[in-house]
Amino acid sequence: MAVRAGREFLAIPGPTTMPDEVLRAMHRPALDIYSDAMVQLTDSLLRDLSRLFATKGQSYIYIANGHGAWEAVLSNTLSRGDKILVLESGRFAIGWGDAAAAMGIDVEVLKGDLRRAVRPTEVEARLRQDAEHRIKAVIVVQVDTASGVVNDIAAIGRAIKAADHDALFMVDTVASLGCMPFEMDAWGVDVAMSGSQKGLMTPPGLAFVAANDRARRVHQTAGLRTPYWDWTLREGSEHYRKYSGTAPVHLLYALRQALDMLFEETLENSFLRHRLLAQTVRRAVETWAQAGTIEFNISDAGERSDTVTTIRMNNGYDPAALQRYCNVKCGVVLGTGIGDLSGKSFRIAHMGHINAPMILGTLGVVEMGLDALAIPHGDGALETAVKFLSEQVRA
Ligand SMILES: *Cc1c(COP(=O)(O)O)cnc(C)c1O
């Protein structure tokens, strides 16, 4: 017997659930890519992306995924042989660093840990040692989608300033933009990147980069520039150049709709909604954890992300069995553990187009699975979650 029917529910950290309005926005003919309507669509999106990143800098839209945006950032700002410092806190900054190494960049990893955030004091200490300023850029993720950590980007920005170092500060916001506060200019970030398919409720296929004036100056002498990614080639008045070719018309319609919905909700409310629903998940996980088998991956409660929760399963229990149950029996797809957490963990994403029934439903299905598979867990998780949310969301 299964109780699976209708839509499969994705509780994975990307691609995420897309609103029906976003899906419908794509169901129309293509635009003449040289028309005024097309130019206006692009201009509105570039303006709103800079608003999302909270920067006066320039935004760029690529037909790519997050990996493409990583390469866009690196190729526009660095030269072969340049050194960069990668701040480890899970999988994704390391992945960005791997791309850099493959491009001929000299990559140093500031050793971190899968179970905690980057420590700004360690960043400052490492940069102080670099008296000759050989490090040209510092790269980090705001949220690491594998470990479930949130890094304090403002504090890392202050640490770089305190070390009086001129390395570019480059931040991956793929799993956080639109869901959690991000203040590119105020936090001293020079380059930020993101993707369409996580918090931004849009199909996979668009990648975004924002660069401030300092980064664009450094860009002038970057040796790794190639035509498709090159900011300068995209900056001219000719619209066709903005995408280095044909515009991804339908994805742009989808993004326009998603951003309209986000701004209509207001960013403040989106951030609060994500926080409350993340806290709801964490209340449930805390309760399950009382029996010792289930455990948060991120040890410090203050370092757990509001967009994804990574949950370890100890004592030889198999997270794949739980994932299978939730999917096959109930149509809920949980995130799988990746990197060093593969086979040891599962993830619940709570980013983008999410609401109380989706999150409470997901938690209920996970608990069904824990029961059905006789995986030890503390009791009352759903009750605690509902009680928490009802106290936060008053009549
Ligand atoms: C998903 C993700 C990426 C990679 O994005 P793709 O679109 O899969 O290439 C990069 N960084 C973070 C933090 C992510 O969550």
Side-chain angles (χ1 to χ4, degrees):
M1 176 55 198
V3 285
R4 182 192 218 286
R7 261 188 210 194
E8 184 170 86
F9 181 69
L10 294 182
I12 57 174
T16 59
T17 301
M18 288 175 277
D20 291 346
E21 295 91 326
V22 169
L23 293 172
R24 278 200 300 271
M26 293 182 286
H27 196 85
R28 58 170 99 172
L31 260 182
D32 168 10
I33 56 170
Y34 300 101
S35 64
D36 286 348
M38 184 72 243
V39 173
Q40 279 162 22
L41 179 58
T42 297
D43 288 349
S44 77
L45 290 172
L46 292 175
R47 192 182 56 238
D48 285 345
L49 285 167
S50 291
R51 177 177 164 196
L52 266 188
F53 283 114
T55 182
K56 292 192 166 58
Q58 180 78 42
S59 288
Y60 307 88
I61 300 172
Y62 295 95
I63 305 163
N65 55 20
H67 284 70
W70 283 346
E71 212 163 309
V73 171
L74 299 168
S75 69
N76 272 293
T77 54
L78 296 165
S79 300
R80 188 168 276 274
D82 278 353
K83 185 185 181 75
I84 66 169
L85 185 65
V86 171
L87 310 183
E88 181 185 23
S89 62
R91 242 335 287 159
F92 285 88
I94 298 293
W96 195 359
D98 290 345
M103 292 165 74
I105 293 162
D106 176 10
V107 174
E108 177 181 327
V109 175
L110 185 70
K111 195 80 194 88
D113 190 299
L114 204 56
R115 306 205 61 176
R116 66 163 172 86
V118 170
R119 294 190 177 132
T121 49
E122 293 176 2
V123 178
E124 182 179 340
R126 178 62 192 90
L127 290 178
R128 279 186 190 282
Q129 284 171 3
D130 182 37
E132 292 161 24
H133 289 193
R134 287 198 53 237
I135 296 170
K136 299 299 176 201
V138 174
I139 69 175
V140 70
V141 297
Q142 185 174 20
V143 167
D144 188 285
T145 327
S147 68
V149 83
V150 57
N151 287 309
D152 187 342
I153 301 301
I156 297 170
R158 285 194 298 273
I160 295 171
K161 279 232 162 49
D164 205 13
H165 201 291
D166 62 3
L168 290 175
F169 186 24
M170 318 214 286
V171 181
D172 174 328
T173 69
V174 176
S176 48
L177 196 69
C179 310
M180 297 165 52
F182 181 75
E183 297 282 339
M184 178 163 156
D185 291 352
W187 294 351
V189 176
D190 297 296
V191 188
M193 50 73 63
S194 197
S196 53
Q197 79 277 20
K198 298 195 182 171
L200 298 179
M201 308 178 284
T202 300
L206 294 179
F208 316 117
V209 173
N212 68 8
D213 288 346
R214 196 163 85 95
R216 288 163 75 210
R217 268 197 305 281
V218 171
H219 160 79
Q220 296 305 323
T221 55
L224 284 168
R225 287 161 59 175
T226 56
Y228 182 74
W229 304 119
D230 197 304
W231 292 340
T232 300
L233 292 177
R234 286 169 176 255
E235 277 169 15
S237 56
E238 201 192 330
H239 181 268
Y240 189 70
R241 284 265 156 238
K242 295 240 181 330
Y243 300 96
S244 219
T246 302
V249 179
H250 292 82
L251 291 178
L252 299 175
Y253 280 137
L255 180 65
R256 181 67 270 157
Q257 180 63 35
L259 295 187
D260 285 347
M261 290 171 70
L262 192 56
F263 292 137
E264 194 188 343
E265 177 184 5
T266 76
L267 288 177
E268 292 63 34
N269 199 78
S270 173
F271 299 158
L272 185 59
R273 173 169 57 86
H274 280 88
R275 161 134 298 189
L276 290 179
L277 293 173
Q279 285 173 332
T280 305
V281 171
R282 295 195 283 259
R283 292 298 161 110
V285 175
E286 261 166 33
T287 310
W288 290 330
Q290 286 163 7
T293 292
I294 300 260
E295 185 191 10
F296 284 106
N297 179 57
I298 297 302
S299 316
D300 182 336
E303 297 179 349
R304 292 173 192 150
S305 143
D306 283 346
T307 52
V308 59
T309 299
T310 302
I311 301 153
R312 287 177 170 253
M313 213 183 261
N314 301 324
N315 307 330
Y317 287 95
D318 180 10
L322 178 67
Q323 289 170 249
R324 221 169 14 251
Y325 177 93
C326 293
N327 188 344
V328 173
K329 299 292 189 183
C330 302
V332 170
V333 188
L334 299 174
T336 206
I338 56 173
D340 291 342
L341 288 161
S342 170
K344 298 179 198 155
S345 71
F346 65 97
R347 294 178 293 164
I348 300 175
H350 27 87
M351 62 173 81
H353 190 54
I354 47 150
N355 59 26
M358 292 174 188
I359 294 303
L360 293 172
T362 299
L363 295 174
V365 165
V366 171
E367 186 156 314
M368 275 173 72
L370 295 173
D371 283 342
L373 295 163
I375 297 169
H377 64 84
D379 287 329
L382 267 294
E383 245 176 275
T384 309
V386 170
K387 187 159 194 310
F388 166 77
L389 207 49
S390 70
E391 282 164 4
Q392 300 298 315
V393 184
R394 305 308 303 175

